[in-house]
Amino acid sequence: MEYIKDPKAIEQKSMAIIEERLRDFPFDPLQKPVIKRVVHTTGDISFADITKFSEGAVEAAVKAFGAAEPVFCDVEMARSGINRANAAKLGLDITCLIHEPAVAEEAKIAGTTRAAAAMAKKLREHPQGGIFVIGNAPTALFVLLEAVKAGTARPALVVGVPVGFVGALESKEWLTEFNIPWITIAGEKGGSTIAAAIVNALLSLTIAQKES
């Protein structure tokens, strides 16, 4: 069977198909590249309807990435999906604490998830600013939002797209109530690959603006 082998040609054709299928969606020009990347990653046009942004979220994201704000991921899968070359161009420090022994012990003592304990530890170390990328664990997003509500944290950006049937929808709905820059996926869908896709789209936008 004949098929396209060139990776650049595959991506170009994919994006052309996506562009055609999204032609009737009324997108903000800055949001559209993010949505296209999510659709490309998932192969699911329905994400065009459920990818949500706070007002000015993309502009805030470009500013935060351009300023090399530290990036914290809830799980390694989200961190590993971020484009390393583009992250290096912007001098980003991307961390994930979920496998640290101290985090596992703290989670055990507190009776919570390692993702939640990792978030709590990160917020103690860096309470103000920072880019938080949550693709898997609703508990991590809940801990972050509790800190924002208490006034002890003020993220530069939250990419909050945890997936699942327990807490994911609720945590993301709560995120949309906050006056901070956020990008999320409505409902139970989400995941680390989507979180990384959103970040990668934002990195490309940031680099393009810096080079223009």
Side-chain angles (χ1 to χ4, degrees), residues 4-16:
I4 300 173
K5 301 183 179 85
D6 181 352
K8 288 185 178 179
I10 292 170
E11 180 166 1
Q12 287 172 354
K13 185 167 184 178
S14 294
M15 287 300 184

Side-chain angles (χ1 to χ4, degrees), residues 132-135 141 158-162 168 171-172 175 182-186 195 198:
F132 293 83
V133 182
I134 302 168
L141 184 52
V158 178
V159 177
V161 294
S171 65
K172 291 182 287 186
L175 172 62
W182 52 259
I183 301 173
T184 194
I185 303 292
I198 291 170

Side-chain angles (χ1 to χ4, degrees), residues 86-111:
N86 284 348
K89 282 183 182 180
L90 296 170
L92 299 180
D93 177 31
I94 306 174
T95 59
C96 176
L97 308 180
I98 198 165
H99 293 305
E100 288 192 358
V103 167
E105 183 63 22
E106 185 175 327
K108 183 178 180 180
I109 292 170

Side-chain angles (χ1 to χ4, degrees), residues 51-196:
T51 304
K52 306 297 181 182
F53 303 77
S54 67
E55 185 175 353
V58 176
E59 294 90 338
V62 169
K63 181 179 179 180
F65 283 115
E69 286 273 359
V71 181
F72 175 73
C73 300
D74 65 331
V75 292
E76 284 291 347
M77 187 177 290
R79 188 170 80 94
S80 65
I82 295 173
N83 186 302
R84 295 182 183 182
N86 284 348
K89 282 183 182 180
L90 296 170
L92 299 180
D93 177 31
I94 306 174
T95 59
C96 176
L97 308 180
I98 198 165
H99 293 305
E100 288 192 358
V103 167
E105 183 63 22
E106 185 175 327
K108 183 178 180 180
I109 292 170
T112 190
T113 67
R114 286 184 298 152
M119 179 63 73
K121 185 174 188 292
K122 185 63 178 181
L123 290 172
R124 290 195 297 270
E125 296 171 353
H126 197 97
Q128 299 300 317
I131 298 163
F132 293 83
V133 182
I134 302 168
N136 182 74
T139 53
L141 184 52
F142 278 124
V143 169
L144 174 60
L145 295 179
E146 286 169 350
V148 175
K149 184 178 180 181
T152 58
R154 188 72 186 178
L157 174 70
V158 178
V159 177
V161 294
V163 62
F165 300 103
V166 180
L169 181 152
E170 293 83 358
S171 65
K172 291 182 287 186
E173 285 186 344
W174 196 25
L175 172 62
T176 65
E177 297 176 9
F178 284 83
N179 185 27
I180 55 176
W182 52 259
I183 301 173
T184 194
I185 303 292
E188 295 162 340
K189 292 182 179 181
S192 297
T193 55
I194 294 174

Side-chain angles (χ1 to χ4, degrees), residues 40 44-45 49 59 74 82 206:
H40 180 263
D44 187 346
I45 295 294
D49 283 320
E59 294 90 338
D74 65 331
I82 295 173
T206 304

